[in-house]
Amino acid sequence: MKLPGAAIRAVIFDCDGVLVDSERITIRLLRDDLARYGFDLPLDQIMAIFVGGTIKGGAVEVIRRGAALPEDWTELFYAKMFAALAAEVEAVPGVTDLLARLHQAGIARAVGSNGPPAKMEITLTRTGLRDWLSPHIYSAQELENPKPAPDIYLHAARCLDASPENCVVVEDSVSGARAARAAGMRCIGYADAGQGAFLAPHCDAVVHDMQAVARLLGV
């Protein structure tokens, strides 16, 4: 069943965990790296701190909890993460077909991520998704406020010349879903990692595969 509401003119995707299967790689690296500094937590707790936010923001939180991170930890970790993503990251199953269907339907596409531009350049290029989305690839790190502020989604909509009511966001984090809601946009929660119950209060629908996203978008 297609999402109710105004005509869909544009779809704005979060990047990590929605377009590219990067979060499993990143969370594993975070767990192992933080353990070196005495901050040894299971993966689900590392996810709760970092998913939907920024590496810098997560670092602030783990320092608050007692981790003794060096001042340049964020920069050091980004270097490790970029290398791992360049070697390993893959597209989320079904997303290439979804982007092709949106293109055929004449629906505009964009990326709105809390991640840095350099990270998206690596992941979207390696997975072959960049050509489906360029030039509308936007990072909240180039704006004033990251998600859950709506800035990144409102910026993407302006660049696409689309009104918020004609945009749909696809998100896998509560922070991102809250940003979509704050922007006045409908939101599809993509819950392939068991986070559906957390997403549901903030989304118009929650699904577990890209085929279901396509049905909700009517393509």
Side-chain angles (χ1 to χ4, degrees):
M1 180 183 296
K2 188 175 179 180
L3 278 178
I8 299 170
R9 308 293 186 199
V11 179
I12 309 171
F13 295 87
D14 176 46
C15 190
D16 297 301
V18 173
L19 291 170
V20 296
D21 191 13
S22 55
E23 288 184 343
R24 291 178 179 85
I25 298 169
T26 301
I27 294 300
R28 184 190 73 229
L29 284 174
L30 281 166
R31 179 198 61 193
D32 294 347
D33 200 70
L34 291 171
R36 296 172 54 228
Y37 298 99
F39 194 79
D40 194 0
L41 291 180
L43 287 175
D44 61 335
Q45 292 185 44
I46 296 293
M47 288 181 67
I49 294 170
F50 285 93
V51 171
T54 64
I55 297 296
K56 183 177 180 180
V60 170
E61 175 61 18
V62 300
I63 290 170
R64 186 189 69 80
R65 297 190 189 190
L69 300 184
E71 289 187 5
D72 60 348
W73 179 83
T74 298
E75 291 75 19
L76 293 171
F77 181 77
Y78 269 130
K80 294 177 183 178
M81 179 178 67
F82 288 170
L85 292 173
E88 301 178 44
V89 73
E90 302 293 341
V92 165
V95 78
T96 303
D97 180 66
L98 173 59
L99 292 170
R101 288 171 178 264
L102 291 170
H103 174 73
Q104 291 165 2
I107 297 174
R109 305 156 307 284
V111 185
S113 174
N114 269 354
K119 182 182 179 184
M120 288 189 283
E121 181 67 22
I122 290 167
T123 59
L124 296 175
T125 299
R126 174 178 160 82
T127 55
L129 300 180
R130 190 179 186 279
D131 288 346
W132 291 108
L133 298 155
S134 183
H136 299 294
I137 300 170
Y138 305 111
S139 168
Q141 296 194 13
E142 298 180 315
L143 303 175
E144 186 172 351
N145 301 303
K147 305 171 194 176
D151 303 30
I152 186 64
Y153 288 132
L154 292 172
H155 175 74
R158 285 193 295 270
C159 293
L160 293 169
D161 196 25
S163 299
E165 62 267 25
N166 296 122
C167 296
V168 175
V169 170
V170 185
E171 264 287 355
D172 72 328
S173 74
V174 170
S175 175
R178 288 173 58 201
R181 278 286 176 87
M185 300 177 185
R186 287 164 286 176
C187 185
I188 298 172
Y190 180 67
D192 72 330
Q195 71 272 48
F198 299 101
L199 286 170
H202 309 281
C203 296
D204 297 275
V206 175
V207 300
H208 305 282
D209 57 66
M210 286 298 159
Q211 291 75 22
V213 176
R215 289 192 292 273
L216 286 168
L217 296 175
V219 296

